[in-house]
Amino acid sequence: MAITDLHGASAIRTEGALNGVEDQVRMYVVQRGCWTLGAPLARSEQTVPAGQFLLRHIGRPLHFETVPDTTAKVLVLPAATLKPLLGGRQSVSGPLASAEVRLLVAHSNMIYETAADLGPAGVRAAHGTLIELAKAVARGQVDDVEPQLAPALAQAAKDLVDSHLADPELSGTMLARELNVSVRNLQRAFAAGGESVTGYIRRRRLEEARLALTAPSGRLSVSELAAHWQFADSSHFIRSFKKHYGRTPTEYARSTDPAGH
């Protein structure tokens, strides 16, 4: 198994004859640009555009090419485990926004960040979870009651929170719907990390409000910050901020103002 993150400023392509046998399942996750398999010498091509994934069994080496500024993640996975799930299909494709892919990408990112610190047991756990999530992609369904997937589920939800912080609809229910899991199992996944879904959303909104208070220019008022980060009113925002940081928003802004205003 291998995970490769590619950030190509220029186009990349293979050339010449490719020989040998590769009994692998590969997953191509294209965030930006475009990845084409089978080019330029094969009879058929399969293109993965930005925002899409492709899970495909590779029986022999394939040519590929990318366009400039392509950002993609390529996972090499064991064929013995995943090929049977493809059935008679050579490949499975779909949007990166699918729940299964969100979880797999979140988990692979966690592996990248923690791999150097993992012991043998951690490596086995990371490997097993990645296999389970790849199976979920092949089946098009996540087993959200599988305890092994809880860290990936929590991380995928946190990624969604961070991209929807100002959304008035942001809630555990919305996150569960986006990730195609039950609210109860999402809450369990967060609880395993010692924090509730609601608590994480509130903490991240307070963190962003704190950063806005220290902005060098165009600083929002307390009431504007409260409205932007979806607090019920200014009083609720001030109480939450003081409980978290030990000072009111005004006191905090004054303490960080280099001009002493």
Side-chain angles (χ1 to χ4, degrees):
M1 181 184 293
I3 304 172
T4 301
D5 284 303
L6 179 140
H7 306 274
S10 59
I12 303 171
R13 64 175 57 86
T14 54
E15 295 182 353
L18 299 177
N19 300 310
V21 176
E22 291 185 343
D23 188 22
Q24 302 172 343
V25 170
R26 293 184 193 165
M27 183 170 177
Y28 303 86
V29 178
V30 182
Q31 288 107 357
R32 186 173 63 189
C34 187
W35 192 296
T36 299
L37 288 168
L41 303 177
R43 295 178 181 177
S44 61
E45 295 182 352
Q46 194 165 14
T47 296
V48 191
Q52 296 284 311
F53 78 89
L54 173 70
L55 184 70
R56 172 172 172 160
H57 176 249
I58 306 293
R60 58 183 178 80
L62 286 177
H63 283 279
F64 75 88
E65 62 179 321
T66 69
V67 299
D69 296 318
T70 291
T71 300
K73 186 184 296 290
V74 182
L75 294 88
V76 178
L77 303 160
T81 303
L82 291 166
K83 185 180 176 182
L85 294 178
L86 295 175
R89 302 167 295 175
Q90 184 183 38
S91 63
V92 173
S93 60
L96 301 190
S98 69
E100 304 80 32
V101 179
R102 286 184 188 275
L103 265 66
L104 185 143
V105 169
H107 181 64
S108 65
N109 288 341
M110 285 193 293
I111 292 176
Y112 177 82
E113 293 172 0
T114 62
D117 300 321
L118 292 177
V123 170
R124 287 193 297 272
H127 178 279
T129 301
L130 192 60
I131 291 294
E132 289 303 313
L133 289 169
K135 288 180 180 178
V137 171
R139 291 191 298 256
Q141 183 176 5
V142 174
D143 179 8
D144 65 341
V145 300
E146 169 56 60
Q148 194 174 23
L149 303 188
L153 176 54
Q155 186 58 53
K158 289 176 180 178
D159 292 343
L160 273 173
V161 168
D162 289 347
S163 62
H164 291 80
L165 274 177
D167 188 341
E169 302 299 321
L170 180 60
S171 65
T173 300
M174 188 203 91
L175 295 171
R177 183 175 65 248
E178 288 291 319
L179 295 171
N180 197 27
V181 299
S182 71
V183 174
R184 184 178 183 181
N185 286 328
L186 178 64
Q187 290 170 338
R188 284 178 175 172
F190 268 81
E195 189 171 27
S196 68
V197 178
T198 303
Y200 180 78
I201 293 172
R202 185 190 305 111
R203 176 168 65 81
R204 286 292 296 115
R205 283 174 166 169
L206 285 171
E207 288 172 352
E208 291 300 319
R210 179 182 63 82
L211 291 175
L213 284 167
T214 61
S217 61
R219 186 176 295 173
L220 298 178
S221 68
V222 170
S223 60
E224 288 171 332
L225 284 172
H228 181 75
W229 296 115
Q230 304 304 318
F231 288 88
D233 51 43
S234 298
S235 297
H236 182 219
F237 171 58
I238 292 169
R239 287 195 303 270
S240 297
F241 192 96
K242 186 173 183 178
K243 182 177 179 180
H244 195 74
Y245 292 109
R247 285 174 284 185
T248 67
T250 302
E251 291 169 345
Y252 184 88
R254 188 179 297 121
S255 70
T256 58
D257 188 343
H261 296 153

